[in-house]
Amino acid sequence: MIEKQGQRTNPPVNEWPDANGRYGSFGGTYVPEILIPALARLQQAVDERLHEPLFQAKLQAEASCWIGRPTPLTPARRLGERWGGELWLKREDQAHTGAHKINNALGQALLARSMGVRRIVAETGAGQHGVATAAACARLGLPCTVYMGSIDVARQAPNVARMQLFGAEVHSVESGDATLRAAIDEALRDWSHDPEGTYYLLGSAVGPHPYPYLVRELQSVIGLEARAQLYEASGRLPDKVVACVGGGSNAIGLFHAFRNDEGVELHGIEAGGRGMAMGEHGSTLTRGSTGVLHGTKSYLLQDSEGQIMETHSISAGLDYPGVGPEHAYLLESGRARYHSASDEEALAALAECAKTEGILPALESAHAFAGARRLAEENPGELILIGCSGRGDKDLGILMQANGGPGA
Ligand SMILES: *Cc1c(COP(=O)(O)O)cnc(C)c1O
């Protein structure tokens, strides 16, 4: 056991979810009748196989030789000097396909294959989850169909090409908001046509039970590695752990290993977009209210009639009006704190990281950097662990256009 000395300000959390897939009053299973048997089969596969030694050995072998785990933990000394903290970066940008999403995609694809399904369907926003799923399906020999909003298809064209090279069929979704939310609706529709032969490979710690649990378990490798690597390198645990929150998978994956370290603060950073007016941001936990979306009870961005609101973020991966139920619980219990960073703050933090460390984070990850910068400036000298969830190469088009971006 690694013990951190000092103030104990963050009470330990219970082990969630409970048997009904609840995190406090959040989570659960809010789906059409037709999907209940498929979720029960998934639950059974999770219970029987996910932590079974043979399955874990297979997963770890692929994680090592194909994903490239463990990913590095990098001290960011020059950036830390500028911002006033001791900064360490957990480098999920170094994982195969360029982000943390591959941990989940590979794990679920292995589970799906062990369940004997015929094909995989998935939704994607930024395209990162689609790429990760298409790659994992290619690796395991599973046919794959990806739904993607037409706006995202346009702004993430290289990822569409990658998915197609990996042999996936990509469907552009014109309906609804034509981004991630519409793509999820379409993937759920596909799944409900053949819930026995099709596996729905969900991309974040959202959706009906057991997905938020399954995704957390598959992503918790991030925090387990980082906690051990940091202790090995510096002999201590962080004061603060900071991650960006879209659906919440990289954040919950990084937070989970630290949940019972009472001296470690957990901070999630949401998309502040262009400002805090309705429709201009993706700050679900800091600005939303409770409700049900895509099969789970959590915080949402909705109007007074319960209509889901449009969202905006410069990063497609944070442009979602819901959030995983475990984050809603961590917020209400006070174990984690949530803030937002604007498009502009994210761009500025990204530019500074690139110039001082030679690392180009994804625009999503740049929100975590912007949040860490504010925390470091508020309390200089602390050790802050930042989740660098992905690499920014996919965002070059946006970065070259953006005011204040590199070269501006
Ligand atoms: C998709 C994505 C995110 C947001 O998803 P979470 O489930 O909240 O982690 C964050 N960073 C990167 C690089 C992404 O691709």
Side-chain angles (χ1 to χ4, degrees):
M1 276 300 283
I2 301 168
E3 270 297 325
K4 178 174 181 288
Q5 302 301 314
Q7 233 187 332
R8 301 193 161 265
T9 46
N10 303 293
V13 288
N14 293 327
E15 294 300 325
W16 301 98
D18 67 15
N20 297 316
R22 295 265 174 196
Y23 304 80
S25 62
F26 302 104
T29 310
Y30 298 85
V31 296
E33 205 60 40
I34 188 164
L35 293 178
I36 297 283
L39 287 170
R41 271 195 303 280
L42 176 58
Q43 176 74 63
Q44 192 185 352
V46 167
D47 289 346
E48 286 173 3
R49 280 195 282 283
L50 185 60
H51 296 107
E52 184 258 324
L54 209 62
F55 182 85
Q56 280 292 322
K58 241 188 259 170
L59 178 58
Q60 274 161 28
E62 285 293 294
S64 155
C65 75
W66 187 68
I67 293 181
R69 301 213 73 86
T71 59
L73 181 77
T74 306
R77 294 203 182 87
R78 279 164 39 78
L79 192 61
E81 271 166 32
R82 288 169 79 126
W83 292 354
E86 183 183 343
L87 307 181
W88 292 80
L89 314 180
K90 180 55 175 166
R91 302 286 307 283
E92 292 304 293
D93 59 305
Q94 292 299 293
H96 180 47
T97 69
H100 68 289
K101 292 204 172 76
I102 196 72
N103 305 320
N104 172 52
L106 174 68
Q108 285 198 55
L110 272 171
L111 194 66
R113 199 176 62 176
S114 80
M115 293 166 72
V117 302
R118 285 188 296 105
R119 66 191 275 270
I120 303 286
V121 296
E123 84 296 330
T124 196
Q128 291 296 101
H129 174 57
V131 168
T133 302
C137 287
R139 175 80 179 164
L140 301 182
L142 288 161
C144 174
T145 302
V146 179
Y147 292 92
M148 188 171 188
S150 56
I151 292 174
D152 289 334
V153 167
R155 63 180 170 182
Q156 305 286 350
N159 277 341
V160 176
R162 279 182 198 108
M163 286 182 250
Q164 288 166 339
L165 285 167
F166 290 138
E169 205 179 295
V170 181
H171 286 276
S172 175
V173 181
E174 309 279 341
S175 57
D177 65 354
T179 63
L180 180 58
R181 186 152 55 94
I184 293 175
D185 287 338
E186 225 35 60
L188 282 171
R189 197 162 301 148
D190 179 320
W191 188 30
S192 65
H193 287 149
D194 175 29
E196 277 198 31
T198 297
Y199 182 96
Y200 179 30
L201 206 159
L202 194 44
S204 189
V206 298
H209 183 65
Y211 283 108
Y213 167 73
L214 172 58
V215 175
R216 180 194 80 196
E217 290 299 288
L218 293 170
Q219 293 291 7
S220 61
V221 64
I222 303 172
L224 285 169
E225 285 177 8
R227 190 176 183 277
Q229 287 168 320
L230 184 63
Y231 198 76
E232 170 84 28
S234 74
R236 54 170 298 203
L237 292 178
D239 297 302
K240 292 177 171 134
V241 176
V242 186
C244 66
V245 178
S249 69
N250 87 88
I252 207 70
L254 185 62
F255 289 177
H256 194 63
F258 297 96
R259 68 198 178 284
N260 292 323
D261 296 322
E262 294 173 26
V264 178
E265 286 181 19
L266 308 175
H267 293 266
I269 315 296
E270 297 187 303
R274 289 182 288 243
M276 283 301 142
M278 247 203 198
E280 296 291 303
H281 62 84
S283 297
T284 313
L285 289 158
T286 44
R287 292 289 163 143
S289 52
T290 61
V292 171
L293 178 67
H294 296 134
T296 190
K297 185 171 174 205
S298 184
Y299 272 67
L300 309 178
L301 289 170
Q302 56 191 341
D303 65 16
S304 52
E305 256 104 72
Q307 288 291 324
I308 302 302
M309 283 160 39
E310 299 289 316
T311 51
H312 165 78
S313 172
I314 193 166
S315 59
L318 304 185
D319 203 350
Y320 177 60
V323 68
E326 191 163 2
H327 287 291
Y329 169 71
L330 290 175
L331 171 73
E332 292 224 331
S333 68
R335 178 65 187 92
R337 287 157 234 206
Y338 297 87
H339 323 264
S340 54
S342 67
D343 289 353
E344 211 176 298
E345 289 172 300
L347 283 168
L350 183 150
E352 272 196 278
C353 177
K355 284 213 179 83
T356 57
E357 299 296 341
I359 293 169
L360 190 66
L363 275 168
E364 290 84 359
S365 321
H367 288 72
F369 284 80
R373 174 188 189 163
R374 218 184 298 149
L375 292 167
E377 286 171 354
E378 280 165 21
N379 279 300
E382 289 188 329
L383 196 164
I384 303 180
L385 171 62
I386 303 174
C388 186
S389 54
R391 66 174 185 230
D393 305 66
K394 70 180 175 59
D395 299 317
L396 274 178
I398 299 169
L399 292 173
M400 287 188 291
Q401 276 172 22
N403 283 339

